[in-house]
């Protein structure tokens, strides 16, 4: 006859603390949102460290980014990478909408975490992925979060369109040569001189590559403090804002939150004499005519992407150090 003896578990062996991380996100970089982010970060760090059975595994966050695209959220991607490296056992976040506003992304990440035996707790919904009998509830709540995001986006687009129409839209991030002062575009004198030189050099026959190389050699920083590239120079020459005019809605976001160049799919709005000009309309037109002529000589017309992608690996190899694209 078989004899079965129960061997009691040794609780002394189960003393390893649960490594708990938290994820926070705010969608805009406004002062109010950043204050909210700091409050979330402080809350979760204290909350995790106050539990004796938990070990603080880090706090990951994204500020000023939308939750509709995970590819643009470095904090979230860093957390997922650390999960794969086995550094995290459990994750806490405020709500599904803070974690992801895209149903597909949300389910994909939760499934990936479950495969790694890592659970995530959504505080607002009181939902623990480790206690779910099915994905139905998560799918429903994720869909609600995504629908809410679409509704917010549509309301924002409507409000923005009204500002386009009445000319009250504020350009929060002006191009190189300008700054935003109390909602108005104001010329930055030293940068304006660089812009004038770029247009003058273009008209004398210098290529965008030669101009960018010269600016880098002179140690002049670009708009974001980075290096100048031919694409940056091309963008300045083709930007109508340097004439004092503004064209609104040159790009748009579709229902899937993907950004597109507006080739006439939606209305555009031209505002003349919106701000002080750096370049005259005549000089602007002549410089752009030069660029178009060079494009025709290369056989690609106005389609620069055709030139940049003429070979199999053009635009597809990225430098691991500076992030530049190899052409």
């Amino acid at each position: 006859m078989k004899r079965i003896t129960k061997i009691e578990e040794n609780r002394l062996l189960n003393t390893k603390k649960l490594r708990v991380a938290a994820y926070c996100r705010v969608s805009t970089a406004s002062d109010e949102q950043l204050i909210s982010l700091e409050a979330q970060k402080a809350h979760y760090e204290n909350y995790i460290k106050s539990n004796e059975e938990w070990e603080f595994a880090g706090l990951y966050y994204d500020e000023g980014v939308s939750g509709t695209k995970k590819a643009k959220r470095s904090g979230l991607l860093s957390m997922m990478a650390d999960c794969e490296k086995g550094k995290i056992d459990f994750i806490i976040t405020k709500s599904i909408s803070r974690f992801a506003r895209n149903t597909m992304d949300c389910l994909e990440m939760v499934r990936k975490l479950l495969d790694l035996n890592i659970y995530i707790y959504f505080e607002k919904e009181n939902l623990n992925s480790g206690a779910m009998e099915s994905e139905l509830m998560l799918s429903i709540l994720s869909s609600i979060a995504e629908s809410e995001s679409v509704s917010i986006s549509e309301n924002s687009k409507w409000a923005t369109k009204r500002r386009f129409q009445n000319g009250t839209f504020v350009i929060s991030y002006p191009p190189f040569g300008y700054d935003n002062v109390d909602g108005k575009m104001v010329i930055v004198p030293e940068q304006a001189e660089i812009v004038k030189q770029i247009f003058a050099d273009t008209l004398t026959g210098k290529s965008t590559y030669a101009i960018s190389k010269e600016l880098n050699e002179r140690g002049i920083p670009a708009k974001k403090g980075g290096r100048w590239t031919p694409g940056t120079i091309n963008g300045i020459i083709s930007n109508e804002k340097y004439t004092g005019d503004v064209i609104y809605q040159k790009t748009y976001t579709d229902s899937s939150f993907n950004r597109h160049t507006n080739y006439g799919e939606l209305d555009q709005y031209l505002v003349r004499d919106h701000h002080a000009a750096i370049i005259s309309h005549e000089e602007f037109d002549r410089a752009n005519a030069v660029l178009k002529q060079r494009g025709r000589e290369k056989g690609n017309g106005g389609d620069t992407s055709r030139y940049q992608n003429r070979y199999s690996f053009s635009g597809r190899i990225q430098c691991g150090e500076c992030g530049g694209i190899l052409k």
Side-chain angles (χ1 to χ4, degrees), residues 157-168:
K157 287 178 183 178
W158 181 87
T160 300
K161 184 177 180 179
R162 297 296 298 175
R163 290 195 290 272
F164 285 161
Q165 292 172 339
N166 58 33
T168 59

PDB file of all heavy atoms in Angstrom, residues 157-168:
ATOM      1  N   LYS A 157      -8.726  68.854 -31.993  1.00  0.00           N
ATOM      2  CA  LYS A 157      -8.619  69.229 -33.407  1.00  0.00           C
ATOM      3  C   LYS A 157      -9.637  70.311 -33.758  1.00  0.00           C
ATOM      4  O   LYS A 157      -9.327  71.247 -34.502  1.00  0.00           O
ATOM      5  CB  LYS A 157      -8.857  67.997 -34.296  1.00  0.00           C
ATOM      6  CG  LYS A 157      -7.718  66.998 -34.304  1.00  0.00           C
ATOM      7  CD  LYS A 157      -8.075  65.799 -35.174  1.00  0.00           C
ATOM      8  CE  LYS A 157      -6.986  64.750 -35.147  1.00  0.00           C
ATOM      9  NZ  LYS A 157      -7.357  63.558 -35.952  1.00  0.00           N
ATOM     10  N   TRP A 158     -10.851  70.179 -33.223  1.00  0.00           N
ATOM     11  CA  TRP A 158     -11.900  71.169 -33.504  1.00  0.00           C
ATOM     12  C   TRP A 158     -11.484  72.539 -32.968  1.00  0.00           C
ATOM     13  O   TRP A 158     -11.609  73.554 -33.651  1.00  0.00           O
ATOM     14  CB  TRP A 158     -13.217  70.728 -32.862  1.00  0.00           C
ATOM     15  CG  TRP A 158     -14.344  71.681 -33.126  1.00  0.00           C
ATOM     16  CD1 TRP A 158     -15.194  71.690 -34.200  1.00  0.00           C
ATOM     17  CD2 TRP A 158     -14.741  72.794 -32.305  1.00  0.00           C
ATOM     18  NE1 TRP A 158     -16.086  72.727 -34.100  1.00  0.00           N
ATOM     19  CE2 TRP A 158     -15.843  73.425 -32.950  1.00  0.00           C
ATOM     20  CE3 TRP A 158     -14.283  73.312 -31.095  1.00  0.00           C
ATOM     21  CZ2 TRP A 158     -16.480  74.545 -32.413  1.00  0.00           C
ATOM     22  CZ3 TRP A 158     -14.909  74.432 -30.561  1.00  0.00           C
ATOM     23  CH2 TRP A 158     -15.997  75.034 -31.223  1.00  0.00           C
ATOM     24  N   ALA A 159     -10.960  72.541 -31.726  1.00  0.00           N
ATOM     25  CA  ALA A 159     -10.545  73.803 -31.107  1.00  0.00           C
ATOM     26  C   ALA A 159      -9.375  74.420 -31.867  1.00  0.00           C
ATOM     27  O   ALA A 159      -9.318  75.637 -32.076  1.00  0.00           O
ATOM     28  CB  ALA A 159     -10.164  73.568 -29.647  1.00  0.00           C
ATOM     29  N   THR A 160      -8.444  73.566 -32.297  1.00  0.00           N
ATOM     30  CA  THR A 160      -7.287  74.050 -33.059  1.00  0.00           C
ATOM     31  C   THR A 160      -7.725  74.631 -34.396  1.00  0.00           C
ATOM     32  O   THR A 160      -7.225  75.681 -34.830  1.00  0.00           O
ATOM     33  CB  THR A 160      -6.282  72.910 -33.289  1.00  0.00           C
ATOM     34  OG1 THR A 160      -5.833  72.414 -32.024  1.00  0.00           O
ATOM     35  CG2 THR A 160      -5.073  73.388 -34.085  1.00  0.00           C
ATOM     36  N   LYS A 161      -8.675  73.959 -35.057  1.00  0.00           N
ATOM     37  CA  LYS A 161      -9.176  74.443 -36.345  1.00  0.00           C
ATOM     38  C   LYS A 161      -9.824  75.820 -36.197  1.00  0.00           C
ATOM     39  O   LYS A 161      -9.653  76.700 -37.054  1.00  0.00           O
ATOM     40  CB  LYS A 161     -10.185  73.452 -36.919  1.00  0.00           C
ATOM     41  CG  LYS A 161     -10.691  73.821 -38.306  1.00  0.00           C
ATOM     42  CD  LYS A 161     -11.632  72.761 -38.852  1.00  0.00           C
ATOM     43  CE  LYS A 161     -12.133  73.143 -40.239  1.00  0.00           C
ATOM     44  NZ  LYS A 161     -13.046  72.110 -40.796  1.00  0.00           N
ATOM     45  N   ARG A 162     -10.562  76.024 -35.124  1.00  0.00           N
ATOM     46  CA  ARG A 162     -11.182  77.333 -34.880  1.00  0.00           C
ATOM     47  C   ARG A 162     -10.108  78.412 -34.711  1.00  0.00           C
ATOM     48  O   ARG A 162     -10.255  79.531 -35.202  1.00  0.00           O
ATOM     49  CB  ARG A 162     -12.058  77.275 -33.622  1.00  0.00           C
ATOM     50  CG  ARG A 162     -13.234  76.321 -33.723  1.00  0.00           C
ATOM     51  CD  ARG A 162     -14.228  76.736 -34.792  1.00  0.00           C
ATOM     52  NE  ARG A 162     -14.817  78.037 -34.504  1.00  0.00           N
ATOM     53  CZ  ARG A 162     -15.639  78.679 -35.320  1.00  0.00           C
ATOM     54  NH1 ARG A 162     -15.940  78.133 -36.500  1.00  0.00           N
ATOM     55  NH2 ARG A 162     -16.146  79.848 -34.989  1.00  0.00           N
ATOM     56  N   ARG A 163      -9.017  78.066 -34.038  1.00  0.00           N
ATOM     57  CA  ARG A 163      -7.931  79.042 -33.868  1.00  0.00           C
ATOM     58  C   ARG A 163      -7.226  79.308 -35.189  1.00  0.00           C
ATOM     59  O   ARG A 163      -6.748  80.421 -35.434  1.00  0.00           O
ATOM     60  CB  ARG A 163      -6.945  78.545 -32.809  1.00  0.00           C
ATOM     61  CG  ARG A 163      -7.512  78.567 -31.379  1.00  0.00           C
ATOM     62  CD  ARG A 163      -6.416  78.428 -30.345  1.00  0.00           C
ATOM     63  NE  ARG A 163      -5.831  77.100 -30.341  1.00  0.00           N
ATOM     64  CZ  ARG A 163      -6.282  76.074 -29.643  1.00  0.00           C
ATOM     65  NH1 ARG A 163      -7.358  76.235 -28.868  1.00  0.00           N
ATOM     66  NH2 ARG A 163      -5.690  74.905 -29.688  1.00  0.00           N
ATOM     67  N   PHE A 164      -7.145  78.269 -36.048  1.00  0.00           N
ATOM     68  CA  PHE A 164      -6.601  78.479 -37.393  1.00  0.00           C
ATOM     69  C   PHE A 164      -7.450  79.507 -38.147  1.00  0.00           C
ATOM     70  O   PHE A 164      -6.935  80.435 -38.777  1.00  0.00           O
ATOM     71  CB  PHE A 164      -6.604  77.169 -38.185  1.00  0.00           C
ATOM     72  CG  PHE A 164      -5.542  76.180 -37.782  1.00  0.00           C
ATOM     73  CD1 PHE A 164      -5.665  74.842 -38.125  1.00  0.00           C
ATOM     74  CD2 PHE A 164      -4.422  76.584 -37.064  1.00  0.00           C
ATOM     75  CE1 PHE A 164      -4.698  73.923 -37.771  1.00  0.00           C
ATOM     76  CE2 PHE A 164      -3.439  75.669 -36.690  1.00  0.00           C
ATOM     77  CZ  PHE A 164      -3.579  74.330 -37.045  1.00  0.00           C
ATOM     78  N   GLN A 165      -8.760  79.314 -38.063  1.00  0.00           N
ATOM     79  CA  GLN A 165      -9.689  80.136 -38.838  1.00  0.00           C
ATOM     80  C   GLN A 165      -9.707  81.595 -38.395  1.00  0.00           C
ATOM     81  O   GLN A 165      -9.847  82.503 -39.220  1.00  0.00           O
ATOM     82  CB  GLN A 165     -11.102  79.539 -38.755  1.00  0.00           C
ATOM     83  CG  GLN A 165     -11.230  78.196 -39.467  1.00  0.00           C
ATOM     84  CD  GLN A 165     -12.572  77.532 -39.219  1.00  0.00           C
ATOM     85  OE1 GLN A 165     -13.259  77.846 -38.246  1.00  0.00           O
ATOM     86  NE2 GLN A 165     -12.950  76.602 -40.088  1.00  0.00           N
ATOM     87  N   ASN A 166      -9.583  81.825 -37.079  1.00  0.00           N
ATOM     88  CA  ASN A 166      -9.626  83.216 -36.613  1.00  0.00           C
ATOM     89  C   ASN A 166      -8.239  83.803 -36.365  1.00  0.00           C
ATOM     90  O   ASN A 166      -8.101  84.924 -35.864  1.00  0.00           O
ATOM     91  CB  ASN A 166     -10.505  83.348 -35.358  1.00  0.00           C
ATOM     92  CG  ASN A 166     -10.024  82.453 -34.218  1.00  0.00           C
ATOM     93  OD1 ASN A 166      -8.836  82.214 -34.063  1.00  0.00           O
ATOM     94  ND2 ASN A 166     -10.964  81.959 -33.414  1.00  0.00           N
ATOM     95  N   GLY A 167      -7.192  83.034 -36.721  1.00  0.00           N
ATOM     96  CA  GLY A 167      -5.830  83.554 -36.641  1.00  0.00           C
ATOM     97  C   GLY A 167      -5.270  83.692 -35.249  1.00  0.00           C
ATOM     98  O   GLY A 167      -4.305  84.439 -35.036  1.00  0.00           O
ATOM     99  N   THR A 168      -5.825  82.976 -34.270  1.00  0.00           N
ATOM    100  CA  THR A 168      -5.357  83.100 -32.883  1.00  0.00           C
ATOM    101  C   THR A 168      -4.483  81.929 -32.439  1.00  0.00           C
ATOM    102  O   THR A 168      -4.098  81.857 -31.279  1.00  0.00           O
ATOM    103  CB  THR A 168      -6.558  83.211 -31.924  1.00  0.00           C
ATOM    104  OG1 THR A 168      -7.392  82.041 -32.067  1.00  0.00           O
ATOM    105  CG2 THR A 168      -7.374  84.456 -32.226  1.00  0.00           C
TER     106      THR A 168
END
